[in-house]
Every structure is written in structure tokens, then in C-alpha cells.
Amino acid sequence: MYSNWDVLFAAAPNPSHVESILATKCILSEPVLPGQEHNVWHIPRDHTGQPVNCHPEDNLRSDYIQEHRVGPNQVVFAFQTPLPRNGQFLDYSRWMQTLMGVLNLVVAHSSYRPMSECSSGVLRIFQTACVGPEPELDLTMDIRLGYRNRWEPADKWTLLANSTITRKLQCDTSKAQGSFSGDTEKLHLSEAKSSVSISATLCSLQVEDGFNYDCELINLFELGSLHHDFYLINLRLPVAPPGMPSTNEDLGFVEDIWLMAINQNGGFTKVYVAVKTIFLPFVLGVTIWFWSRIMQLPRTPSLLERSLFLLLISLILLTLPLEYLTLFVEIPSMLLLQDLRQGLFNAAIAVFWVVFCGEHRMDEPLKKTFFGYWKVLLPVLLGCLSLLIFDMCERGVQLVNPFFSIWGTPSGVKAAVSLTLSSLRELIV
């Protein structure tokens, strides 16, 4: 037997939807070198389902690739989202609010384009054994992101953002799929507290072509407003010719690229906004009633009453259904605005509980102002400030460059971890 709550939660829409899109590999007639502008849109399909400005090739090892000696600078990976379904062309709804893209690279071993640390076809672990995780590689991508609406021609795409970014790519060869050649021995690696036993070929394990590396996912972009119907991504992995700074030379052979397009479900947004719309009048009415009753008292409001009023104001700001505006106006800063409202509410509720607990302690006199609790409130405010700086560094920069990620560089990772740990430490203390 199912309860009413089970039926309600089962019928509720999922918060997000994931769509896996395999790149359409468009072959260019001439190579595009790193740093060279390329303003042509390569479109996987038009209204009839045919590619535009794109010579597609399903396999980068095909006879056409070999005969024309197509290099990596002649390949454009094109993604067009959303995908058709049951023969019908779908489009995004403005109720879907956000869109995020995550890449999954299918990298295969090739004796012609070996990955770093595998120039001789030998897999290494801890630089002494022969299988194991590969070091992080610098993956450079040249990306163009565009959009189109339903009433516009199929070949008319408007540039939303373009950038050349670098991400860290880590591939684990110990989990890869493929075949080996060589004699296998038993290798024992001992450390201070553990012993690892690995079945491997000592420094002679040769990898055959087609061996797939297991690579981590890469965060590509995030849009805080899903205002248009269709989106197009053209991605290139430029390789520098001799005489230029090294770019993607140790990447290996990229056979395919998958894009996971993650958007917020429109049904979830409707339920979420409806709940906020229903509760906003109640919260607003309670706040007005509460403060009017306080002002009728023949005294000034106490510190506890003021902190409760501050909490109610932050709750009103959090409950405001600003999502309605995105149905008419493109607001890229909606994610940042939502985070700021949530952070203000979290700070207000922390201040309220500090004052509430302090006012009910019998061993201390009552304090008249917030300054009396500065020793307790200072860590809370510093923690909130750290989270604000982190959010501005991530969401704030994405307003200009949606491909930016604070986790994309080692210095950014250190800064993000430092800000997060410092905020948690301050809040816990």
C-alpha cells in the first residue's frame, strides 16, 4: 500500500534532465591553426535533417580521412541541442531556466598519436610499473557557442560566447578497455601502511591501437538563462605545428566526444514557482502583522525582535518568484541572484539563532545591539563572506564567459578549496 505522500513524490517531476549528445565530426577542407579565427558555423542538421557547412565523418579512421590526410586541425566537433525525438524537432522552453554542458572524451591509444607518458606504447604506474593512472594533461579547446530561435532560418546562428580554454584531463589506463601483448608477471608495490598487488608486465606491456583510456568528465559551460530555442556548439582541439608553443600534442587519438546537456525540467520549475507564489502572500502578511504589532508597543524593539524581522525580510526576498521575469526577459544573472538570496537567508537565520540562544542564557546580561555578539557573529559573517567571494569568482565571471570554471586551473582549485574550507571552519567554530 502506498501512502498519499508516496504518490505525491512519485508524481513530482525530476529537477533536471540529462541528454547525451554524440558529436558530429565535421571535416574542413583547410586546417585552422591555433589562434586563427574561424567564424563559420558547422551545423549538424537543418529543418530537413541535413548538415550545413559540414562534411560529416562517423569514423576518424575512415578511408576518406586516410586518403585526404586529414589532420586534427581540420576536425570540428559539432553539437546541436536539443536532439530530435521520434522524428520531431524539439526546442527548449524558457521554463527550463538553466543549461549546463559536460564533456566525455573517448580517447584511444594510437601509435601515431600516443598519449603523454606512453610515447613507446608502454603504460606506467608510479613511473616504475606498467599500468595505472596517467598524469593530468592540459587540454586546450577552441569553442564557439551560438543560439537560434524557431522563427529564424536554419543557418542563422547568433554567437553567444566564444573562448579558448584549457582544462585538466586525467585518464586512468588501469580501467581502460582494450587488449595487451606481452608476458605478465606479479608485481608487489609496498608502502608504509599498505601493500598493492598488480598483475602487469614489467616495463614491457605493449598497448595495441584502439585501447580506450578511461578519462574523467570535463565541465564545459553553464548558462544561467535558457532564453532561446536551440543551441549550437562548435569545438576544436587545435594542435600547434612545429615552431609554435605545444598544444594538445600529448593528448592521444580522440575518436569521439560526448556532450551531456543538463537542463532544469520545466515541470519542476512550474511546481517550484507555484509554491513560492502561494507562500509569498502568507510570509508577507505575517511580516507586516508582526512588525505592526511590535511598533504598537510602548518601547523600542528588542534585539531578538529585530533579528526575527531581519529573518522574515530575507525569507520574503528568497520567496519572490523572480523566475516569472525569465519568461519575458533574458536574465543571465539569475543563478547568481538565486545564490545571493539563499546566502542572505542563511546568514539571517544564523544571526537569529545566535541572538536567540544568547538572549536565553541566564548567566549573561541582555545585550541591546548586535555589536554585543560580535565575537560569535564575526566567524559567521566571515564564513558567509568567503562563500560570497567564491560565488562571485564562479558565477560572476560566467556572466561574461560561460566556459569559465574556477576548478579549471590548479590555482583556481586551491583558491576554491581554501574559500570553502575557511567558510566551513568559520561557520563550525
Side-chain angles (χ1 to χ4, degrees):
M1 294 296 295
Y2 293 97
S3 64
N4 294 333
W5 289 107
D6 293 333
V7 176
L8 177 62
F9 287 124
N14 293 324
S16 60
H17 170 72
V18 181
E19 189 174 41
S20 298
I21 305 172
L22 180 63
T24 300
K25 297 176 282 292
C26 300
I27 308 302
L28 306 180
S29 58
E30 297 293 334
V32 180
L33 300 180
Q36 183 178 349
E37 292 188 3
H38 184 68
N39 299 323
V40 179
W41 288 109
H42 303 279
I43 308 168
R45 58 188 175 276
D46 57 9
H47 295 307
T48 63
Q50 299 299 318
V52 179
N53 298 327
C54 176
H55 175 80
E57 281 292 329
D58 294 333
N59 188 355
L60 293 180
R61 300 178 187 268
S62 65
D63 294 337
Y64 177 87
I65 300 295
Q66 303 297 330
E67 292 174 0
H68 293 79
R69 296 185 178 181
V70 175
N73 291 325
Q74 295 175 253
V75 180
V76 176
F77 297 90
F79 306 89
Q80 189 173 343
T81 180
L83 291 173
R85 188 179 303 171
N86 299 327
Q88 295 183 348
F89 289 93
L90 305 180
D91 56 77
Y92 284 117
S93 168
R94 294 180 182 179
W95 285 103
M96 295 180 178
Q97 297 289 307
T98 62
L99 180 64
M100 181 173 65
V102 180
L103 289 182
N104 182 17
L105 272 69
V106 181
V107 184
H109 175 76
S110 173
S111 56
Y112 297 99
R113 285 188 55 82
M115 184 175 277
S116 176
E117 297 293 332
C118 297
S119 57
S120 61
V122 178
L123 305 181
R124 307 181 185 277
I125 185 171
F126 305 135
Q127 297 181 354
T128 56
C130 305
V131 285
E134 292 291 335
E136 290 185 340
L137 301 175
D138 288 331
L139 174 66
T140 301
M141 297 178 287
D142 186 86
I143 314 172
R144 301 180 77 227
L145 173 63
Y147 66 85
R148 183 177 67 83
N149 295 306
R150 286 172 292 178
W151 57 85
E152 296 177 327
D155 58 347
K156 186 181 184 306
W157 291 84
T158 303
L159 180 66
L160 181 62
N162 65 322
S163 180
T164 300
I165 62 174
T166 300
R167 294 282 195 270
K168 291 294 183 180
L169 177 65
Q170 185 172 8
C171 297
D172 188 359
T173 58
S174 63
K175 298 180 181 179
Q177 300 175 355
S179 57
F180 303 93
S181 61
D183 298 329
T184 302
E185 300 180 15
K186 204 74 172 179
L187 175 66
H188 298 278
L189 299 177
S190 300
E191 295 185 356
K193 297 183 180 180
S194 63
S195 176
V196 182
S197 179
I198 300 176
S199 179
T201 300
L202 292 175
C203 301
S204 62
L205 182 59
Q206 299 296 322
V207 183
E208 297 180 354
D209 286 353
F211 185 98
N212 290 334
Y213 299 101
D214 183 18
C215 300
E216 294 183 350
L217 301 179
I218 300 174
N219 181 30
L220 183 61
F221 71 92
E222 186 169 9
L223 297 178
S225 177
L226 200 58
H227 193 72
H228 304 282
D229 298 322
F230 309 100
Y231 288 87
L232 174 66
I233 300 172
N234 283 177
L235 185 149
R236 297 189 301 109
L237 303 177
V239 176
M244 295 183 63
S246 175
T247 304
N248 293 332
E249 290 186 353
D250 297 328
L251 179 59
F253 188 83
V254 180
E255 288 189 336
D256 279 308
I257 300 180
W258 287 86
L259 173 71
M260 272 66 74
I262 307 171
N263 64 272
Q264 184 171 305
N265 269 337
F268 172 82
T269 307
K270 292 179 181 179
V271 174
Y272 178 60
V273 175
V275 171
K276 295 172 70 173
T277 305
I278 294 172
F279 275 92
L280 178 61
F282 291 98
V283 177
L284 189 60
V286 169
T287 303
I288 296 174
W289 175 84
F290 167 74
W291 194 245
S292 63
R293 297 288 293 179
I294 293 299
M295 296 305 293
Q296 292 175 7
L297 297 175
R299 58 173 176 81
T300 58
S302 66
L303 184 60
L304 182 60
E305 292 167 346
R306 282 180 285 168
S307 63
L308 181 57
F309 180 70
L310 175 64
L311 177 61
L312 289 173
I313 293 297
S314 66
L315 183 59
I316 291 175
L317 295 177
L318 183 63
T319 316
L320 282 175
L322 298 179
E323 288 79 5
Y324 285 125
L325 298 177
T326 61
L327 302 179
F328 309 98
V329 183
E330 185 173 9
I331 308 178
S333 59
M334 182 56 68
L335 281 177
L336 177 61
L337 186 60
Q338 179 65 21
D339 289 345
L340 293 178
R341 292 191 295 169
Q342 185 68 53
L344 177 61
F345 175 77
N346 294 338
I349 198 172
V351 171
F352 170 75
W353 280 113
V354 167
V355 175
F356 179 82
C357 296
E359 294 292 297
H360 288 78
R361 293 183 63 179
M362 304 301 296
D363 56 342
E364 291 187 5
L366 295 179
K367 299 178 175 62
K368 300 295 183 180
T369 62
F370 288 107
F371 185 75
Y373 293 96
W374 72 271
K375 291 184 179 180
V376 184
L377 291 178
L378 183 60
V380 175
L381 297 178
L382 289 178
C384 295
L385 181 61
S386 299
L387 292 178
L388 175 62
I389 295 175
F390 169 77
D391 207 47
M392 293 300 295
C393 292
E394 180 78 3
R395 306 276 194 207
V397 179
Q398 285 178 351
L399 297 178
V400 181
N401 181 14
F403 304 108
F404 174 81
S405 176
I406 196 173
W407 307 97
T409 59
S411 58
V413 171
K414 293 179 182 178
V417 172
S418 301
L419 289 173
T420 306
L421 293 180
S422 63
S423 63
L424 292 176
R425 181 178 63 85
E426 296 294 348
L427 292 176
I428 292 175
V429 172

